[in-house]
Amino acid sequence: MKQETPFWRRYARLWGGDPRADIDDELAFHLESRVKDMMTRGLSEGDARTEALRAFGDLSRVRSTLEQMSDRHALRSRRTQWLDDVRADLRLGYRLLARRSLFAIAVIATLAPGIAASTTIYSLVHGVLLRPLVYPDGDRLVVLWEHNVPRGRTENVVSASNFELWQARSRSYAGLAGLVPQRFTVLGDTPDRIYGGAVSPEWFDIVGVSPARGRGFTRAEARSGHVIVLSHELWTRHYGADPAIVGKGIQLEGESYQVLGIMPQGFDGPTFGWLD
């Protein structure tokens, strides 16, 4: 059996102004219309009102349904109005630029370099100052340089003797580690030019990252200068990700180095200042 559509749906309309303020008046109007319709059929006013309320149903549910209808209509109206405004603005802008083509070209030529410069500056600032370091507690890491007064250089490389004094006497830092960038040529079937760094044993603790395979090196091993920890990328590219390489020797610049460990995948050593 097909259910009859409630009469208030057939008469419901969308209002101007504040729809919610008019809903109660609209409900009362439709209810009274139904009462009068019943009375013309011979029912008394009381019976007609009772029958109208029965046919009307739950007033709170009806009110909620009408409010939802009104909200959907208002949302569609706002979207339509916004699109119309955008289209009107674009047409107006196009007509103005078409009338003054030389002025438009001058404006575009002025704005384009400015936008490009702003984008470049933001990328540099984000990459250098805003992007957090990939190391644990990266906000606590700092870089220390010497100030070379005669040369006027504020980021001068720290001498080994001064670094050892800083380590022994510093009370402001939880730890200090040395890092000196170096370039190597890995010998083999295909020689490979790589970038690395000579670091002090404390470096692994300072950055908070330990080798994924093997280990770091001790101070005694560091003095020998012939121990090495490989990056995961170099280990994969040049040595085929062979786990047996840990503990073996490799040739760098014609000298033998013992591989003590492999760093985690995705790890990249710190780059800053001239180390880039």
Side-chain angles (χ1 to χ4, degrees):
M1 181 177 179
K2 186 177 180 180
Q3 185 178 1
E4 181 184 0
T5 303
F7 79 94
W8 56 266
R9 281 190 179 273
R10 299 199 301 269
Y11 292 103
R13 57 191 176 87
L14 297 171
W15 307 267
D18 183 3
R20 293 177 183 271
D22 295 337
I23 287 178
D24 288 336
D25 293 340
E26 289 291 331
L27 289 176
F29 168 77
H30 291 301
L31 182 60
E32 291 301 325
S33 298
R34 187 67 169 180
V35 170
K36 292 178 181 179
D37 184 49
M38 292 294 183
M39 290 175 66
T40 59
R41 300 181 184 182
L43 295 180
S44 64
E45 182 177 356
D47 292 340
R49 188 168 298 277
T50 300
E51 179 63 21
L53 289 173
R54 185 195 63 78
F56 214 91
D58 187 353
L59 284 177
S60 61
R61 183 179 63 84
V62 173
R63 182 182 293 104
S64 176
T65 302
L66 291 174
E67 289 176 350
Q68 292 176 9
M69 292 170 58
S70 177
D71 290 343
R72 288 195 295 268
H73 174 74
L75 179 59
R76 287 195 298 266
S77 298
R78 287 195 296 271
R79 290 176 178 173
T80 302
Q81 183 62 42
W82 181 81
L83 290 175
D84 290 341
D85 291 341
V86 170
R87 284 193 289 264
D89 290 340
L90 290 176
R91 286 195 297 267
L92 177 60
Y94 176 77
R95 288 197 298 268
L96 292 177
L97 292 178
R99 293 175 184 175
R100 302 182 180 181
S101 56
L102 292 178
F103 173 75
I105 294 174
V107 169
I108 294 173
T110 303
L111 290 178
I115 295 173
S118 300
T119 303
T120 302
I121 292 174
Y122 173 79
S123 300
L124 291 174
V125 171
H126 179 268
V128 177
L129 301 177
L130 302 180
R131 185 179 60 190
L133 296 176
V134 297
Y135 316 116
D137 298 322
D139 58 333
R140 300 181 60 195
L141 295 177
V142 296
V143 180
L144 301 180
W145 304 88
E146 281 189 342
H147 188 180
N148 191 322
V149 177
R151 295 184 179 181
R153 300 179 60 178
T154 58
E155 295 183 354
N156 198 66
V157 179
V158 181
S159 66
S161 58
N162 284 348
F163 170 71
E164 292 176 352
L165 288 175
W166 289 1
Q167 273 192 318
R169 300 179 182 179
S170 174
R171 300 295 181 268
S172 301
Y173 304 99
L176 294 175
L179 168 63
V180 179
Q182 292 185 351
R183 297 178 181 179
F184 302 93
T185 299
V186 181
L187 300 179
D189 295 338
T190 304
D192 197 0
R193 190 67 170 170
I194 63 173
Y195 293 86
V199 299
S200 61
E202 305 84 7
W203 185 81
F204 299 98
D205 293 331
I206 295 297
V207 299
V209 181
S210 300
R213 293 178 178 270
R215 60 178 177 84
F217 43 84
T218 64
R219 187 170 296 279
E221 290 172 329
R223 291 193 184 98
S224 71
H226 286 78
V227 290
I228 191 170
V229 175
L230 302 179
S231 70
H232 186 278
E233 192 270 339
L234 178 63
W235 175 57
T236 302
R237 185 183 77 244
H238 198 82
Y239 299 102
D242 181 10
I245 196 173
V246 176
K248 293 184 177 180
I250 62 173
Q251 293 293 316
L252 296 177
E253 302 291 341
E255 298 187 13
S256 178
Y257 289 81
Q258 182 185 9
V259 179
L260 296 183
I262 310 295
M263 294 302 289
Q265 184 175 3
F267 175 81
D268 191 10
T271 55
F272 45 82
W274 64 279
L275 291 180
D276 287 338

